[in-house]
């Protein structure tokens, strides 16, 4: 059975019982004032939330992480980590843990369904400029690294099964909304003007139990298929197929595409596939911060379509920038929060929203343009495409 993650996404706001709220308020009141720089509650224990918790703890803050699920999910899709996001992980003290489990990403191409190469992704050029390659790491490995860092730093608590309905009841000095595209923190403090918007297609991801030796993306008429390395003997794949609702329909949509696309789908057990509705946050928020003590990170702030593969990178960059700004407030502690949050918003909002906008535009170009015209543009772009591609892969860090 295919795992359907649409229901998960719809439930991100969740509910939080009055009893649970009273318990959390009592726990916050029990904390002795003056211990560390201040108290923080991070809502959400995904990549953005855990990285934020690590950064705040390193800055001396007392942090509680609230997670609506009873346990963290262990699905194994691959994340591309750009050199700018790697540098952010280095500053969070997590770079070595990432590199120990990651693979370099090189030699990727954009192809037609018949296998003809249209262009090369500029990964090697970025590697020369940055001095380090794009890395690929499985989501479980990144989550494990973040959890290990929290445990090593000590003092952290992750409160599982906490379904939040009224974030305004949280009394910590700092509240960070890292609770995804359906963020309860965003709705409570920023209103409902911005919200999830579907693009009209589902994405499918999985892990094949063999190495394909061929990586990159294949663009067809209204659909595409991508493959990346993820671990020895395994290949991460992802696909967008408008109208497909079953594994069999996905396989049929790619049955006549170049090898190894049909083989990857045929040899991956559909019970391990993950399906989710592709959505993005629209319209863009006018600010990522509110009330001098509320901040949004990751999908809660700027959920984007997956076409640039920058979701994890922007989440890490948000977390590092926010916690660096908070740490820079120094002895001022909570009194310095309004200025620290303004600095975070100034650094990250325009960059993250530019990346989200570019991802939506790439989706339109990939799926809305006539395939022959699109392919001719890609094939004929030459150096211009390399410059565009470089901006694509640098987008989350500029």
């Amino acid at each position: 059975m295919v795992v359907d993650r649409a229901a998960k996404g719809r439930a991100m706001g969740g509910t939080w019982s009055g009893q649970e709220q009273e318990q959390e308020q009592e726990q916050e009141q029990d904390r002795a004032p003056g211990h560390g720089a201040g108290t923080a509650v991070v809502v959400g224990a995904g990549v953005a939330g855990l990285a934020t918790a690590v950064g705040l703890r390193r800055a001396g803050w007392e942090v509680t992480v609230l997670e609506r699920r009873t346990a963290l999910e262990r699905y194994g899709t691959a994340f591309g980590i750009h050199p700018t996001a790697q540098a952010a992980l280095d500053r969070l003290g997590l770079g070595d843990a990432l590199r120990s489990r990651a693979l370099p990403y090189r030699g990727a191409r954009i192809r037609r369904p018949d296998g003809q190469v249209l262009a090369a992704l500029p990964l090697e050029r970025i590697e020369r400029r940055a001095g380090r390659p794009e890395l690929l790491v499985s989501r479980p490995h990144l989550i494990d690294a973040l959890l290990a860092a929290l445990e090593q730093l000590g003092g952290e608590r992750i409160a599982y099964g906490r379904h939040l309905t009224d974030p305004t009841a949280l009394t910590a000095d700092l509240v960070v909304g890292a609770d995804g595209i359906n963020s309860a923190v965003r709705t409570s403090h920023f209103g409902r003007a911005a919200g999830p918007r579907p693009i009209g297609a589902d994405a499918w991801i999985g892990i094949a139990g063999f190495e394909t030796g061929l990586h990159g993306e294949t663009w067809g008429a209204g659909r595409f298929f991508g493959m990346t390395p993820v671990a020895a003997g395994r290949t991460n794949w992802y696909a967008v197929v408008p109208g497909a609702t079953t594994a069999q329909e996905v396989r049929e949509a790619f049955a006549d595409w170049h090898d190894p696309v049909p083989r990857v789908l045929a040899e991956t057990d559909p019970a391990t596939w993950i399906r989710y509705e592709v959505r993005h946050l629209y319209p863009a928020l006018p600010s990522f911060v509110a009330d001098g003590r509320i901040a949004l990170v990751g999908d809660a702030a700027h959920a984007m379509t997956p076409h640039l593969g920058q979701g994890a990178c922007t989440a890490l960059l948000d977390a590092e920038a926010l916690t660096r700004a908070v740490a820079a407030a120094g002895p001022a502690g909570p009194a310095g929060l309004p200025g620290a949050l303004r600095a975070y918003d100034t650094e990250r909002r325009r960059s993250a929203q530019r990346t989200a906008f570019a991802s939506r535009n790439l989706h339109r170009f990939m799926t809305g343009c006539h395939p022959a015209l699109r392919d001719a543009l890609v094939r004929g772009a030459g150096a211009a495409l390399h410059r565009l591609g470089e901006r694509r892969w640098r987008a989350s860090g500029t």
Side-chain angles (χ1 to χ4, degrees):
M1 179 179 68
V2 173
V3 178
D4 189 340
R5 291 180 52 77
K8 170 204 177 268
R10 288 190 292 270
M12 282 298 290
T15 59
W16 193 14
S17 71
Q19 181 180 1
E20 287 174 323
Q21 289 190 30
E22 291 174 3
Q23 290 173 349
E24 178 60 27
Q25 290 171 5
E26 290 173 0
Q27 290 166 357
E28 289 182 5
Q29 292 167 1
D30 288 343
R31 296 173 188 137
H35 287 190
T39 61
V41 169
V42 177
V43 183
V47 170
L50 294 175
T52 300
V54 169
L56 289 172
R57 187 67 189 97
R58 287 174 62 88
W61 284 63
E62 185 175 350
V63 185
T64 297
V65 180
L66 305 180
E67 171 53 47
R68 67 168 191 84
R69 293 165 292 189
T70 57
L72 296 185
E73 295 177 329
R74 311 299 299 172
Y75 63 92
T77 187
F79 287 148
I81 308 297
H82 186 273
T84 55
Q86 295 172 42
L89 284 168
D90 285 335
R91 291 190 291 271
L92 288 170
L94 293 162
D96 290 342
L98 168 75
R99 285 183 285 271
S100 70
R101 303 300 296 270
L103 297 174
Y105 191 26
R106 301 183 179 105
R109 302 288 185 266
I110 299 173
R111 294 176 171 84
R112 299 193 327 183
D114 62 5
Q116 180 180 342
V117 173
L118 297 174
L121 294 178
L123 299 171
E124 287 77 11
R125 182 175 175 182
I126 291 172
E127 181 175 350
R128 289 193 299 271
R129 291 174 64 92
R132 61 172 93 186
E134 178 103 3
L135 294 178
L136 291 159
V137 64
S138 76
R139 185 182 186 278
H141 290 162
L142 181 56
I143 292 293
D144 286 345
L146 292 167
L147 290 172
L150 282 177
E151 183 177 355
Q152 183 177 12
L153 289 166
E156 306 297 337
R157 294 180 299 122
I158 300 179
Y160 292 102
R162 306 303 288 267
H163 297 278
L164 185 64
T165 55
D166 185 13
T168 62
L170 297 173
T171 59
D173 299 318
L174 172 64
V175 175
V176 180
D179 48 342
I181 191 171
N182 290 326
S183 171
V185 175
R186 186 186 66 240
T187 300
S188 294
H189 291 280
F190 297 79
R192 297 183 179 274
R197 172 171 290 192
I199 69 167
D202 288 353
W204 305 73
I205 56 179
I207 303 289
F210 62 94
E211 295 182 23
T212 64
L214 185 149
H215 303 126
E217 294 180 351
T218 302
W219 297 359
R223 58 192 188 273
F224 69 90
F225 193 93
M227 293 173 286
T228 72
V230 64
R234 307 173 76 199
T235 297
N236 173 71
W237 62 264
Y238 52 94
V240 171
V241 192
T245 60
T246 67
Q248 183 59 32
E249 289 174 347
V250 174
R251 285 170 168 164
E252 291 173 355
F254 296 106
D256 60 349
W257 283 34
H258 67 82
D259 187 68
V261 174
R263 184 161 51 96
V264 165
L265 293 171
E267 297 186 24
T268 306
D269 182 357
T272 66
W273 297 17
I274 296 170
R275 171 191 175 193
Y276 67 93
E277 183 182 35
V278 180
R279 300 179 296 166
H280 63 96
L281 186 66
Y282 185 86
L285 290 170
S287 177
F288 287 176
V289 301
D291 303 331
R293 57 182 287 271
I294 311 296
L296 301 177
V297 294
D299 283 353
H302 48 70
M304 62 189 70
T305 67
H307 298 80
L308 283 181
Q310 291 290 330
C313 289
T314 52
L316 292 169
L317 289 163
D318 289 350
E320 191 278 328
L322 173 62
T323 57
R324 173 165 36 85
V326 169
L337 269 181
L341 298 191
R342 286 193 299 270
Y344 161 67
D345 185 64
T346 297
E347 177 176 343
R348 287 298 305 148
R349 179 163 50 86
R350 183 176 179 182
S351 173
Q353 291 176 345
R354 185 169 58 239
T355 303
F357 181 72
S359 189
R360 292 198 302 274
N361 281 343
L362 182 59
H363 159 69
R364 296 186 184 103
F365 179 71
M366 291 170 64
T367 61
C369 184
H370 189 281
L373 174 60
R374 178 201 62 203
D375 294 351
L377 290 171
V378 172
R379 192 167 44 236
L385 178 65
H386 263 270
R387 291 193 294 271
L388 175 62
E390 184 167 334
R391 287 197 296 271
R392 164 185 174 174
W393 297 100
R394 292 176 56 202
S396 65
T398 56

Short mmCIF file of all heavy atoms in Angstrom, two decimals, residues 6 15 46 57 90 117 123-124 133 141 239 243 260 283 291 322 355 393:
data_model
loop_
_atom_site.label_atom_id
_atom_site.label_comp_id
_atom_site.label_asym_id
_atom_site.label_seq_id
_atom_site.Cartn_x
_atom_site.Cartn_y
_atom_site.Cartn_z
N ALA A 6 -0.80 13.12 2.24
CA ALA A 6 -1.67 14.28 2.16
C ALA A 6 -2.40 14.48 3.49
O ALA A 6 -2.55 15.60 3.97
CB ALA A 6 -2.67 14.12 1.03
N THR A 15 -4.66 19.72 17.11
CA THR A 15 -5.38 20.25 18.25
C THR A 15 -4.51 20.03 19.47
O THR A 15 -3.71 19.10 19.52
CB THR A 15 -6.73 19.53 18.45
OG1 THR A 15 -6.49 18.15 18.65
CG2 THR A 15 -7.65 19.75 17.26
N GLY A 46 10.55 18.72 12.71
CA GLY A 46 11.14 18.36 11.44
C GLY A 46 12.54 18.94 11.34
O GLY A 46 13.15 19.33 12.35
N ARG A 57 19.90 26.12 21.62
CA ARG A 57 20.55 25.51 22.79
C ARG A 57 22.03 25.89 22.82
O ARG A 57 22.59 26.15 23.89
CB ARG A 57 20.38 23.99 22.74
CG ARG A 57 20.91 23.31 24.00
CD ARG A 57 20.06 23.68 25.21
NE ARG A 57 20.68 23.21 26.46
CZ ARG A 57 21.44 23.96 27.26
NH1 ARG A 57 21.70 25.22 26.93
NH2 ARG A 57 21.94 23.47 28.36
N ASP A 90 27.73 23.67 9.33
CA ASP A 90 29.02 23.82 10.01
C ASP A 90 28.90 24.80 11.17
O ASP A 90 29.43 24.54 12.27
CB ASP A 90 30.08 24.33 9.02
CG ASP A 90 30.56 23.24 8.06
OD1 ASP A 90 30.47 22.05 8.41
OD2 ASP A 90 31.02 23.61 6.96
N VAL A 117 20.08 13.65 -24.03
CA VAL A 117 20.50 14.66 -23.06
C VAL A 117 20.22 16.05 -23.61
O VAL A 117 20.62 16.39 -24.73
CB VAL A 117 21.99 14.50 -22.72
CG1 VAL A 117 22.47 15.66 -21.84
CG2 VAL A 117 22.24 13.18 -22.01
N LEU A 123 26.49 21.19 -11.54
CA LEU A 123 26.98 20.79 -10.22
C LEU A 123 28.49 20.92 -10.10
O LEU A 123 29.00 21.37 -9.06
CB LEU A 123 26.55 19.35 -9.93
CG LEU A 123 25.03 19.11 -9.90
CD1 LEU A 123 24.72 17.62 -9.84
CD2 LEU A 123 24.40 19.84 -8.72
N GLU A 124 29.20 20.51 -11.13
CA GLU A 124 30.66 20.59 -11.06
C GLU A 124 31.13 22.04 -11.04
O GLU A 124 32.12 22.38 -10.35
CB GLU A 124 31.28 19.85 -12.24
CG GLU A 124 31.19 18.32 -12.14
CD GLU A 124 29.80 17.78 -12.48
OE1 GLU A 124 28.96 18.56 -13.01
OE2 GLU A 124 29.55 16.60 -12.23
N PRO A 133 31.30 20.01 -2.92
CA PRO A 133 30.22 19.58 -3.82
C PRO A 133 28.85 19.68 -3.16
O PRO A 133 28.73 19.77 -1.93
CB PRO A 133 30.57 18.11 -4.08
CG PRO A 133 31.21 17.66 -2.80
CD PRO A 133 32.01 18.87 -2.31
N HIS A 141 18.98 10.06 8.11
CA HIS A 141 20.32 10.36 8.59
C HIS A 141 20.43 11.80 9.08
O HIS A 141 21.08 12.08 10.10
CB HIS A 141 21.35 10.11 7.48
CG HIS A 141 21.53 8.66 7.16
ND1 HIS A 141 22.11 8.22 5.98
CD2 HIS A 141 21.22 7.54 7.86
CE1 HIS A 141 22.13 6.90 5.98
NE2 HIS A 141 21.60 6.47 7.10
N ALA A 239 8.86 11.61 -8.73
CA ALA A 239 8.09 11.80 -9.96
C ALA A 239 6.88 12.68 -9.67
O ALA A 239 6.33 12.65 -8.57
CB ALA A 239 7.64 10.46 -10.53
N GLY A 243 -2.87 13.59 -12.33
CA GLY A 243 -3.95 12.65 -12.56
C GLY A 243 -3.71 11.24 -12.08
O GLY A 243 -4.66 10.46 -11.95
N PRO A 260 16.85 3.75 -16.96
CA PRO A 260 16.20 2.71 -16.15
C PRO A 260 14.89 3.15 -15.51
O PRO A 260 14.49 2.57 -14.50
CB PRO A 260 17.26 2.45 -15.08
CG PRO A 260 17.81 3.83 -14.82
CD PRO A 260 17.81 4.53 -16.16
N PRO A 283 -0.46 33.83 -0.65
CA PRO A 283 0.66 34.64 -1.17
C PRO A 283 1.81 34.68 -0.19
O PRO A 283 1.70 34.20 0.94
CB PRO A 283 0.01 36.02 -1.33
CG PRO A 283 -1.04 36.06 -0.26
CD PRO A 283 -1.59 34.66 -0.19
N ASP A 291 5.22 40.38 16.71
CA ASP A 291 5.07 40.65 18.14
C ASP A 291 6.38 40.64 18.92
O ASP A 291 6.37 40.51 20.15
CB ASP A 291 4.09 39.65 18.79
CG ASP A 291 2.73 39.66 18.13
OD1 ASP A 291 2.33 40.72 17.59
OD2 ASP A 291 2.07 38.61 18.13
N LEU A 322 18.27 32.49 12.13
CA LEU A 322 17.48 32.90 13.29
C LEU A 322 18.28 32.75 14.57
O LEU A 322 18.36 33.68 15.39
CB LEU A 322 16.20 32.08 13.37
CG LEU A 322 15.35 32.28 14.63
CD1 LEU A 322 14.87 33.72 14.74
CD2 LEU A 322 14.18 31.30 14.66
N THR A 355 13.51 32.09 -3.74
CA THR A 355 13.68 30.68 -4.07
C THR A 355 12.33 30.02 -4.34
O THR A 355 12.17 29.25 -5.30
CB THR A 355 14.41 29.94 -2.94
OG1 THR A 355 15.66 30.58 -2.70
CG2 THR A 355 14.64 28.49 -3.28
N TRP A 393 20.75 26.48 -8.16
CA TRP A 393 21.35 25.72 -7.06
C TRP A 393 21.92 26.63 -5.97
O TRP A 393 22.15 26.20 -4.85
CB TRP A 393 22.41 24.78 -7.60
CG TRP A 393 21.81 23.77 -8.53
CD1 TRP A 393 21.81 23.80 -9.89
CD2 TRP A 393 21.06 22.61 -8.18
NE1 TRP A 393 21.13 22.72 -10.40
CE2 TRP A 393 20.66 21.98 -9.37
CE3 TRP A 393 20.72 22.03 -6.95
CZ2 TRP A 393 19.92 20.82 -9.39
CZ3 TRP A 393 19.97 20.86 -6.96
CH2 TRP A 393 19.57 20.27 -8.17
#
